[in-house]
Amino acid sequence: MNDLSITQSYYACAVNRRGAFPLLAEERQICLVAAGLIELRLAGCIAVEGKRIRITAPLPAECACLQPLYARLDRDKPLSLEKLVDLYSFSLSARPMAELTAAVGQSLCAAGLADEAKGGLFNSQTRYLPRTEAIGHTVDMVRAELLEDGPISDEAAAVAVLLDKSGCLKEYFSPFELRQMHDHLAALSRQPEGRNIQDMIDYVTIFMALPAVGAAVSAGC
């Protein structure tokens, strides 16, 4: 199996068996946006300066499923994180999140790692159901890098942090394993070579703390 991207890995483990984000789980959807931003940042496409994002390079082919998100950022001036969260928090329209979800789901289908299905009200929505191989690959990757000795890649750390912040990680690992992962990430983040990991932890924490996310979660959107 080809390695999944950060966003594909997160999506595979964050949606339910019907290929949808669970109700009352706005944080899972917002973390999909955070996953895309982290992936774009690691690819050198964007720069995050404080709480603002600016485009720095064209979108590479390996990030093609993030075109809907990249297009929302491709402006003459940097976009604030708060405005981006507003855009994806259903305050005005569900379209931006639907476009991003569809693009990621379709990329998994193209790789033979998800199946299309109909769902939602009157079965009017196209859903993308990750196959067990995609879920298992992601879980095994996180387990191998965070629970065993050896280096931790930025990609594995990002997926682990995103699944943890969205409340998904506990669905795949025991409380004991979760403590080990947290300890491992914390120890690594204090070392010079773990700067990227600490940046990602800080970034997702800030992203999840923005007012639009907090309001949506509190309201049960």
Side-chain angles (χ1 to χ4, degrees):
M1 178 189 294
N2 293 330
D3 288 338
L4 299 179
S5 71
I6 291 170
T7 314
Q8 289 173 327
S9 294
Y10 172 76
Y11 177 90
C13 292
V15 297
N16 59 26
R17 294 182 180 180
R18 297 184 298 277
F21 290 104
L23 293 174
L24 308 181
E26 176 86 357
E27 64 274 14
R28 293 198 183 196
Q29 299 173 74
I30 293 300
C31 273
L32 181 69
V33 181
L37 293 176
I38 289 173
E39 191 174 328
L40 291 174
R41 185 180 181 184
L42 290 175
C45 297
I46 63 171
V48 180
E49 301 164 342
K51 291 187 179 181
R52 304 187 72 82
I53 308 166
R54 64 179 177 87
I55 297 291
T56 57
L59 187 72
E62 59 269 24
C63 295
C65 72
L66 298 177
Q67 174 61 37
L69 175 59
Y70 183 84
R72 300 280 177 180
L73 300 172
D74 195 4
R75 301 181 178 182
D76 294 333
K77 61 181 181 179
L79 182 69
S80 72
L81 287 176
E82 190 168 84
K83 286 185 178 179
L84 187 66
V85 169
D86 280 338
L87 184 66
Y88 282 94
S89 65
F90 301 114
S91 57
L92 298 175
S93 169
R95 183 176 178 179
M97 184 64 75
E99 289 175 343
L100 177 59
T101 300
V104 177
Q106 289 166 4
S107 72
L108 286 170
C109 288
L113 296 172
D115 299 296
E116 284 192 18
K118 290 297 182 179
L121 189 63
F122 307 119
N123 286 328
S124 59
Q125 299 174 357
T126 301
R127 300 264 178 88
Y128 305 92
L129 286 61
R131 294 183 179 178
T132 54
E133 301 98 301
I135 299 170
H137 176 79
T138 299
V139 173
D140 289 345
M141 179 265 293
V142 172
R143 174 175 283 110
E145 295 206 30
L146 272 76
L147 293 178
E148 299 176 7
D149 293 333
I152 300 177
S153 66
D154 289 339
E155 290 74 19
V159 172
V161 169
L162 289 159
L163 291 175
D164 186 40
K165 295 292 184 180
S166 63
C168 301
L169 202 60
K170 60 187 177 184
E171 297 180 7
Y172 301 99
F173 298 95
S174 70
F176 176 74
E177 289 174 321
L178 291 176
R179 287 194 297 272
Q180 284 187 303
M181 289 182 187
H182 291 157
D183 291 345
H184 200 169
L185 285 172
L188 184 59
S189 68
R190 291 191 292 267
Q191 302 173 14
E193 61 269 27
R195 184 64 251 175
N196 271 352
I197 291 175
Q198 185 58 51
D199 285 346
M200 284 186 284
I201 294 173
D202 293 342
Y203 179 65
V204 177
T205 300
I206 291 171
F207 202 71
M208 295 297 293
L210 290 171
V213 179
V217 173
S218 297
C221 292

